[in-house]
Amino acid sequence: MTDRIRKLREQSLSAIPHLSPERAILVTESSKAVGLLSAAMRRALTFRTIMERKAICINDGELIVGERGPAPKATYTYPELCCHSMEDLELLHGREKISFQVDDETCRIYRDTIVPYWTGRTIRDRIFVEMTEEWKACYRAGIFTEFMEQRAPGHTALDDKIYRKGMLDFKADIQSRLGALDYHNDPEAFEKKEELDAMAVCADAIVTLAHRHADRALELAAQEPDAVRRAELHEIARACRKVPAHAPETFWEALQAYWFIHLGVITELNPWDAFNPGRLDQHLHPFYAKGLADGSLTREAAKELLECFWIKFDNQPAPPKVGVTAAESSTYTDFANINVGGLRPDGSDGVNDVTYLVLEVIDEMRLTQPSSNVQLSRKSPGQVLGAACRIIRKGWGQPSIFNADTIVEELLRQGKTAEDARSGGASGCVETGAFGKESYILTGYFNLPKVLEVTLHNGVDPRTGARIGLTTGDPAVFSSFAEMMDAFRRQIEHFVDIKVRGNNVIERLYADYMPAPFLSILIDDCIAKGKDYNNGGARYNTNYVQGVGIGTITDSLTAVRYHVFDHQTMTLADLREVLGADFVGHERIRQALVNKTPKYGNDDDYADELMREVFDSYYCAVDGRKNTKGGQYHINFLPTTCHVYFGSMTGATPDGRRSGTPLSEGISPVQGADRKGPTAVLRSAGKMDHVRTGGALLNQKFTPQLLEGEKGIENLAHLVRSYFALGGHHIQFNVVTAGTLRKAQAHPEQYRGLIVRVAGYSDYFCDLSKTLQDEIIARTEHQ
Amino acid sequence: MLRVSPRRMTGIVFNIMRFTVNDGPGIRTTVFLKGCPLHCLWCHNPEAISPQPELFIRADLCIRCGACLEACPHAAVRREDDMFVTAREVCRRCGCCVEACWSGARELVGREMTTEEVLEEVSRDTVFYDESRGGVTFSGGEPLLQHEFLASVLQGCRDRGIHTAVDTSGYAAPTVLDAVAEVADLFLYDFKLFDEERHRRFTGVSNRLILENLRRLTARKSSVIVRVPLIPGINDDDENIRAIGEFVASLGGISEIDVLPYHETGLAKYGRLGRVYALREVARPSPTRVEEVAALLCEYVATVGG
């Protein structure tokens, strides 16, 4: 690592996340502008205002420039979506974990201007007005969460287009589309014109932002005593003058072009998963090869530029969340997830020299942002897997590994072309998407164990006594397990109905009131269709509902089947009573449920078959439903931190889990329930049909000793390849002992830098809630 | 050799452990067969010595509910203060208390399995064996003690294309070894002590048969990796190590010796069996000593692993 990078990295790590009112002020001002403007144009003008007036920040020594806020970790708010109240600000400032400093001036601005203007006018306010009472009851009960109540739909990654075209080229495309509008035969021609005009305004605005950085760089150069730095500032100015207006021609310009575009996307709105360059190694390789060939670039220089680029991600914490959304995604990480490896669009192996360079960068930078992953296909060389495993062994959970072949199959099943599927990958945590061509929206988490709890109580949530489900009958009088499963299935369908109805309204709210014309320039085929990203402009439009707690629900249903129906060691009424008492006074029964019951994760078909049945029930309830953008709903399995929140809303479960404790994470077995080693876990998880998902997340915990030496690397690589041969979508490892984690819990000050894998992302252990820390400690440790 | 229908063949298995990575090449499943003619002082599988099932009690899991006392038909369990104690001389290992135990603190170690059952279980990880060039290892106890059963499972593995290894002390009749060598792909052959008297003192038996069998295996060109457990103060002296190295080198055909440093992980099992461990004072060998031993052995064979 060079001195420059060491300094910039240190600066980023030590910068304290704080709120910047800048965006809120500019958005509020521009929203007051009156006139007969379309929603798209209104948004475009707001975007332009920010690009024209935001403070420009160029940090000392950096080569890739641009911050979202006025300084590193100065974090914007998005009051038009969710306006933080004064109480929220106080909470953000004061909370122990994932806090944001809020200074007095920001508080004053919020109190005097922002809160009074936006109260009652936000998307969030409108969502809660439009949702039905039954939706609200389910939301409050912890049946599902809603992603779009504080953050905009995003969940997308970019393809290679910005390396071929500059904003001026996109503007030319927009102009040509405008010229081709058929006002005689196309009833939407005028709407399309409004949208395309808005895109053109945004294209100019991002160029303005880049030029302002060029101006600032020249100002700094004029005052710069050091000749070397002065030359760098001139180079920065030159690059910013050129990109993203024009297509980049050098490695440096390519990174700078992406970064401005990234900033544009995460400033326009606060889309989930920020934004993501997609297959970075493939995009950069032509610039890398050309630079090396003509002598304008060295491997070391390319690496330093990449490391400068990495730091830019770390400088942008996820926008501050509150309430349920903060609980489900309690992290500063904003889920930009860099993909390397995989396949090329023509189906050949995608690994190149930049792949290895990126892996070195990941290793050296050791940052929680950006996330990173290796797409591993059958065609990927063992060398790339070995290189990834050597980093994974260090224990901080990056890069994660994806099965590129399964991802292609998933995308093909969803109806993508082979080329679009091969140039896709994973973003966020583990979500599958066709990069640059798809809007794949995560709509919310779905609490599968809670649905069983409601089923066991014939439609009533025992935590509150409220009737939120269907009356599917008192399970105590069910004569067979099939009846039980049938009731469970009907309840799932019922809650999915409510969830989908809600999302089909929320989707229209974003389409009508919160278009994203800047993002729409970047995703095919928004320009061609003259339609916004939030209104079905993308070539593919997918909605995901993320199932949570597959381990807990499988073990719970298994326990019911095993003890109540197959072996009749207890009646359902007794079991329900024991659960109601949270096992107090019934420890014997809890022990039997824990120890004398087949469990998912042990390659035991008794349990694993039920996992498949639950999967099918959930799949049938969700998959193929229509959204309002011409696309469909699909399922995936990832929790972020929602397994903790859902656990807190779910009473004791028949697998012996106590009330309020976390559910199982991803598709991992219940913490401690897997007792037959990692191969048995992988076999169990491999029995799920991953191809019918849009991503299923598996985490495993190994002790460092198990992965020692060359043999350790080989074993890890073999496990990964075998799991992928079984069809697994994703795997990631924590390599740390419970002992170390307990020490970190007791002495956080000594373990500030300890990073662990949480779910589909890594985070600082000390930033996690105590419950989540305990949950990670409780995960089975393979030794 | 005698071929018995696999379905009718049974053996006493006390554990089938998946993802073992130190018992031969690649990712493996290790099948532990019960019964051993040796009584090594450092034995880390004490539950393996008796050929019969045995009762394991994990006091740390006991919830003091007394279900075992109620369940025992032989009045072998009694209450002592807060604990439930089993009189092992009375216990008939019928498994009633195990069945009744809610917390899983009681476990019957060793169960009769058919060849087919073992094959079904070990075949589950075939995808991992294929990927890693791994397979199945048979250990114990002394797996050759149940040689007919062993041979039938080995044959079944061969039929399924699964690589096999036999982890043995080498203490068996030469004809038995021959029969097993016909169907095993690799032997992991324990070599503890070269001196016969010391061998007798620490393992309870002479090593003559063991040395002879090792010679026999190499003569018939079986694949063999010699494994030396390194027990400080018992067999880690230069003299013994050199003698082992010389003997192995003299046989020709063995290219690898693995050094297995002593560890205490089996210690807890003595408590669960209600027995006392004789080597409490022995500590793990230092990494330096392990390196030195490896260096010594390097003079005799191409590869020293472990």
Side-chain angles (χ1 to χ4, degrees):
Chain A
M1 197 187 295
T2 62
D3 279 346
R4 177 204 312 278
I5 299 302
R6 196 168 293 116
K7 213 177 109 206
L8 288 169
R9 182 177 179 277
E10 187 46 44
Q11 237 170 40
S12 180
L13 290 175
S14 58
I16 293 168
H18 57 286
L19 284 199
S20 157
E22 184 176 69
R23 185 182 181 283
I25 296 168
L26 295 172
V27 168
T28 308
E29 274 181 31
S30 69
S31 295
K32 290 174 182 167
V34 286
L36 289 175
L37 296 169
S38 69
M41 185 54 80
R42 216 173 251 285
R43 295 300 304 166
L45 294 178
T46 298
F47 183 72
R48 187 172 74 186
T49 304
I50 302 169
M51 295 296 117
E52 284 173 350
R53 292 175 54 193
K54 78 175 289 297
I56 301 296
C57 167
I58 294 179
N59 298 300
D60 194 27
E62 70 181 2
L63 300 176
I64 305 297
V65 299
E67 298 289 342
R68 174 177 50 192
K73 307 238 169 138
T75 312
Y76 276 169
T77 55
Y78 301 76
E80 69 271 43
L81 298 182
C82 161
C83 182
H84 294 102
S85 64
M86 297 314 291
E87 295 74 33
D88 288 338
L89 296 187
E90 206 173 307
L91 177 89
L92 289 172
H93 183 76
R95 71 186 175 196
E96 193 196 343
K97 308 273 168 95
I98 319 298
S99 63
F100 288 85
Q101 284 194 355
V102 188
D103 62 20
D104 291 346
E105 177 64 4
T106 304
C107 277
R108 190 190 60 74
I109 293 165
Y110 253 76
R111 188 179 51 241
D112 296 348
T113 316
I114 313 296
V115 174
Y117 181 78
W118 287 106
T119 303
R121 297 184 188 191
T122 68
I123 278 277
R124 187 179 201 222
D125 294 322
R126 184 69 190 272
I127 286 173
F128 282 98
V129 167
E130 295 298 337
M131 292 301 103
T132 60
E133 280 311 313
E134 60 178 359
W135 185 97
K136 285 179 206 165
C138 294
Y139 182 77
R140 278 195 302 268
I143 294 280
F144 51 68
T145 65
E146 176 45 58
F147 260 44
M148 262 63 74
E149 59 102 25
Q150 282 175 38
R151 296 194 64 176
H155 301 106
T156 193
L158 196 51
D159 56 8
D160 64 342
K161 65 172 73 71
I162 64 157
Y163 309 98
R164 292 182 279 107
K165 286 178 163 185
M167 281 295 146
L168 298 179
D169 302 309
F170 291 120
K171 268 191 81 181
D173 292 346
I174 292 167
Q175 286 310 325
S176 110
R177 189 69 199 103
L178 278 167
L181 286 176
D182 179 355
Y183 287 86
H184 296 287
N185 298 302
D186 181 357
E188 292 176 348
F190 180 67
E191 273 170 52
K192 290 177 181 171
K193 175 203 163 279
E194 292 287 304
E195 174 70 28
L196 290 162
D197 280 346
M199 290 186 203
V201 169
C202 292
D204 285 336
I206 199 75
V207 172
T208 303
L209 180 77
H211 287 176
R212 292 181 63 216
H213 280 83
D215 297 343
R216 178 75 187 136
L218 291 180
E219 278 169 35
L220 289 171
Q223 306 154 14
E224 177 60 53
D226 178 57
V228 176
R229 180 61 184 160
R230 198 157 58 234
E232 284 172 3
L233 286 163
H234 279 288
E235 184 56 23
I236 289 169
R238 195 196 58 74
C240 295
R241 201 69 73 192
K242 179 167 166 190
V243 297
H246 304 275
E249 289 176 281
T250 67
F251 194 82
W252 184 334
E253 289 168 7
L255 288 170
Q256 185 65 65
Y258 175 78
W259 187 248
F260 278 129
I261 278 160
H262 186 94
L263 288 179
V265 173
I266 65 172
T267 304
E268 179 178 47
L269 282 168
N270 59 358
W272 273 105
D273 297 348
F275 199 44
N276 177 340
R279 306 286 276 279
L280 192 63
D281 52 347
Q282 287 186 40
H283 303 331
L284 292 179
H285 187 258
F287 302 102
Y288 179 76
K290 186 175 148 226
L292 251 49
D294 66 19
S296 62
L297 186 71
T298 62
R299 192 173 195 276
E300 292 66 38
K303 189 168 164 186
E304 190 176 47
L305 283 163
L306 272 172
E307 295 190 330
C308 284
F309 183 68
W310 242 245
I311 287 160
K312 301 312 291 187
F313 286 90
D314 198 58
N315 281 350
Q316 325 299 326
K321 296 159 276 195
V322 291
V324 169
T325 299
E328 80 183 21
S329 175
S330 175
T331 175
Y332 289 124
T333 302
D334 210 8
F335 304 107
N337 195 340
I338 308 260
N339 286 236
V340 294
L343 298 168
R344 289 197 284 210
D346 66 3
S348 60
D349 173 31
V351 173
N352 61 45
D353 292 347
V354 181
T355 316
Y356 295 100
L357 196 60
V358 168
L359 286 172
E360 279 177 40
V361 169
I362 292 167
D363 189 20
E364 277 191 19
M365 297 312 282
R366 219 179 225 263
L367 293 169
T368 53
Q369 295 205 81
S371 284
S372 58
N373 71 72
V374 172
Q375 298 280 318
L376 187 76
S377 91
R378 284 186 293 271
K379 295 175 184 171
S380 308
Q383 191 191 349
V384 79
L385 177 57
C389 287
R390 267 171 245 282
I391 307 172
I392 289 168
R393 173 165 69 181
K394 297 184 180 177
W396 58 287
Q398 281 200 39
S400 58
I401 309 183
F402 285 87
N403 185 347
D405 305 312
T406 292
I407 285 185
V408 168
E409 265 194 87
E410 291 165 20
L411 288 166
L412 288 174
R413 189 196 75 84
Q414 294 174 1
K416 277 86 172 174
T417 66
E419 288 79 3
D420 288 354
R422 290 175 188 138
S423 45
S427 63
C429 291
V430 299
E431 300 89 293
T432 301
F435 291 173
K437 298 158 190 78
E438 183 171 17
S439 148
Y440 43 113
I441 307 302
L442 271 64
T443 60
Y445 296 109
F446 191 86
N447 187 344
L448 291 161
K450 182 81 192 177
V451 176
L452 176 63
E453 186 178 33
V454 171
T455 311
L456 288 174
H457 291 86
N458 196 9
V460 171
D461 177 4
R463 215 175 60 86
T464 58
R467 170 164 294 283
I468 56 173
L470 297 175
T471 309
T472 44
D474 178 1
V477 300
F478 288 169
S479 58
S480 70
F481 182 70
E483 268 183 78
M484 178 78 224
M485 275 308 282
D486 189 54
F488 176 65
R489 227 182 323 265
R490 285 171 56 210
Q491 298 285 4
I492 288 186
E493 280 165 18
H494 166 73
F495 290 120
V496 169
D497 276 344
I498 296 170
K499 173 74 182 145
V500 168
R501 183 194 191 284
N503 280 105
N504 285 349
V505 171
I506 293 168
E507 210 161 270
R508 294 329 299 162
L509 291 176
Y510 275 95
D512 291 346
Y513 301 104
M514 281 304 150
F518 179 67
L519 177 58
S520 303
I521 299 171
L522 305 165
I523 304 297
D524 297 334
D525 303 313
C526 296
I527 295 177
K529 290 188 195 170
K531 274 197 169 209
D532 194 84
Y533 178 85
N534 284 344
N535 191 25
R539 183 173 304 168
Y540 308 108
N541 292 277
T542 296
N543 288 19
Y544 286 120
V545 189
Q546 309 100 258
V548 173
I550 193 81
T552 305
I553 186 63
T554 298
D555 289 357
S556 295
L557 284 166
T558 302
V560 171
R561 174 181 227 168
Y562 188 87
H563 290 288
V564 176
F565 292 99
D566 287 0
H567 294 266
Q568 299 178 359
T569 61
M570 56 188 89
T571 67
L572 202 121
D574 289 346
L575 176 62
R576 202 163 49 190
E577 195 186 313
V578 167
L579 299 179
D582 196 14
F583 305 110
V584 173
H586 303 282
E587 185 56 19
R588 276 186 177 202
I589 291 180
R590 199 183 83 84
Q591 291 287 340
L593 294 170
V594 171
N595 297 305
K596 303 259 167 160
T597 315
K599 302 276 178 182
Y600 167 70
N602 296 288
D603 193 11
D604 179 339
D605 290 331
Y606 189 99
D608 296 348
E609 275 304 315
L610 268 174
M611 178 277 287
R612 291 164 61 102
E613 243 185 272
V614 172
F615 176 94
D616 280 340
S617 305
Y618 184 54
Y619 172 84
C620 291
V622 176
D623 192 81
R625 284 182 190 243
K626 287 184 175 139
N627 64 25
T628 71
K629 299 189 288 194
Q632 289 185 349
Y633 282 82
H634 300 298
I635 60 169
N636 51 19
F637 293 94
L638 61 112
T640 316
T641 60
C642 200
H643 59 301
V644 176
Y645 165 66
F646 275 169
S648 74
M649 303 299 281
T650 308
T653 40
D655 62 335
R657 178 191 143 277
R658 293 184 204 276
S659 176
T661 58
L663 306 179
S664 61
E665 170 267 333
I667 61 165
S668 310
V670 165
Q671 300 77 357
D674 49 326
R675 297 174 181 182
K676 287 202 167 176
T679 60
V681 175
L682 301 185
R683 285 258 312 165
S684 283
K687 290 175 196 172
M688 177 181 278
D689 185 359
H690 292 237
V691 170
R692 285 189 290 157
T693 74
L697 183 156
L698 180 67
N699 277 330
Q700 288 279 278
K701 192 162 90 178
F702 285 174
T703 59
Q705 291 74 21
L706 188 64
L707 303 180
E708 272 171 8
E710 268 314 290
K711 187 151 187 196
I713 294 294
E714 281 170 24
N715 290 333
L716 191 58
H718 292 321
L719 283 175
V720 171
R721 289 275 194 192
S722 304
Y723 181 53
F724 288 179
L726 292 168
H729 169 92
H730 155 279
I731 188 163
Q732 184 48 287
F733 304 89
N734 262 313
V735 187
V736 63
T737 64
T740 304
L741 297 177
R742 283 200 198 91
K743 278 187 212 156
Q745 224 174 14
H747 306 286
E749 69 287 351
Q750 294 165 27
Y751 291 87
R752 284 282 166 225
L754 178 66
I755 302 174
V756 294
R757 197 71 179 168
V758 178
Y761 69 105
S762 293
D763 213 340
Y764 293 98
F765 186 73
C766 298
D767 277 351
L768 308 177
S769 71
K770 169 79 168 46
T771 322
L772 187 52
Q773 290 180 344
D774 289 341
E775 186 268 315
I776 292 173
I777 290 171
R779 291 179 194 173
T780 306
E781 192 170 296
H782 299 299
Q783 42 194 330
Chain B
M1 67 170 274
L2 182 70
R3 290 201 77 165
V4 183
S5 162
R7 275 174 216 293
R8 273 182 279 129
M9 183 76 86
T10 64
I12 306 287
V13 176
F14 74 90
N15 195 4
I16 296 182
M17 194 181 257
R18 295 163 71 166
F19 192 64
T20 51
V21 291
N22 297 311
D23 294 329
I27 294 175
R28 310 189 73 82
T29 295
T30 302
V31 179
F32 294 87
L33 300 180
K34 218 161 144 36
C36 186
L38 274 63
H39 290 82
C40 308
L41 284 184
W42 58 86
C43 180
H44 63 270
N45 284 336
E47 75 275 32
I49 297 171
S50 159
Q52 296 308 316
E54 279 182 273
L55 184 64
F56 243 13
I57 303 174
R58 292 194 54 176
D60 55 325
L61 294 182
C62 177
I63 56 167
R64 319 279 192 263
C65 68
C68 48
L69 191 144
E70 293 161 28
C72 180
H74 309 293
V77 185
R78 66 178 189 280
R79 188 183 202 112
E80 260 182 30
D81 300 328
D82 193 25
M83 285 295 296
F84 292 87
V85 178
T86 303
R88 288 180 185 267
E89 64 287 359
V90 182
C91 170
R92 304 207 190 153
R93 296 162 191 90
C94 65
C96 290
C97 64
V98 173
E99 192 65 30
C101 177
W102 297 83
S103 67
R106 285 169 177 257
E107 184 189 345
L108 209 52
V109 181
R111 70 178 176 114
E112 192 170 353
M113 289 180 82
T114 66
T115 303
E116 282 301 314
E117 283 171 336
V118 174
L119 287 171
E120 198 276 328
E121 183 71 18
V122 302
S123 298
R124 289 182 164 262
D125 276 352
T126 303
V127 66
F128 298 93
Y129 312 149
D130 289 351
E131 182 57 47
S132 67
R133 296 172 183 270
V136 178
T137 298
F138 296 86
S139 182
E142 172 46 64
L144 297 178
L145 210 57
Q146 300 186 45
H147 58 92
E148 287 189 343
F149 176 65
L150 174 65
S152 80
V153 183
L154 286 168
Q155 181 64 49
C157 286
R158 181 159 286 181
D159 294 344
R160 287 164 171 75
I162 297 174
H163 177 271
T164 55
V166 175
D167 176 16
T168 177
S169 68
Y171 193 78
T175 49
V176 162
L177 194 72
D178 283 346
V180 169
E182 280 296 315
V183 278
D185 296 319
L186 172 68
F187 282 90
L188 306 172
Y189 203 99
D190 259 27
F191 200 152
K192 304 164 177 90
L193 281 155
F194 183 74
D195 180 76
E196 187 186 357
E197 185 39 43
R198 283 166 74 189
H199 197 279
R200 200 189 294 279
R201 180 155 26 119
F202 291 117
T203 73
V205 300
S206 156
N207 64 358
R208 287 209 176 170
L209 186 57
I210 294 171
L211 300 191
E212 199 39 52
N213 276 338
L214 183 55
R215 189 188 304 282
R216 197 179 176 85
L217 274 184
T218 44
R220 69 193 310 287
K221 308 249 182 281
S222 291
S223 292
V224 178
I225 294 175
V226 167
R227 307 217 291 182
V228 180
L230 201 65
I231 325 293
I234 289 182
N235 75 341
D236 68 333
D237 50 293
D238 286 9
E239 189 193 340
N240 181 51
I241 299 298
R242 283 190 184 284
I244 289 175
E246 266 167 40
F247 182 81
V248 169
S250 76
L251 299 175
I254 296 178
S255 60
E256 179 170 344
I257 300 182
D258 290 353
V259 179
L260 311 179
Y262 170 79
H263 56 77
E264 315 87 333
T265 46
L267 217 149
K269 297 200 254 184
Y270 282 85
R272 291 176 203 166
L273 289 166
R275 287 189 212 150
V276 177
Y277 184 51
L279 286 189
R280 274 182 191 283
E281 304 306 316
V282 174
R284 293 179 182 222
S286 70
T288 327
R289 185 58 195 153
V290 176
E291 277 305 308
E292 286 166 5
V293 168
L296 276 179
L297 289 171
C298 259
E299 294 174 24
Y300 305 100
V301 287
T303 310
V304 178

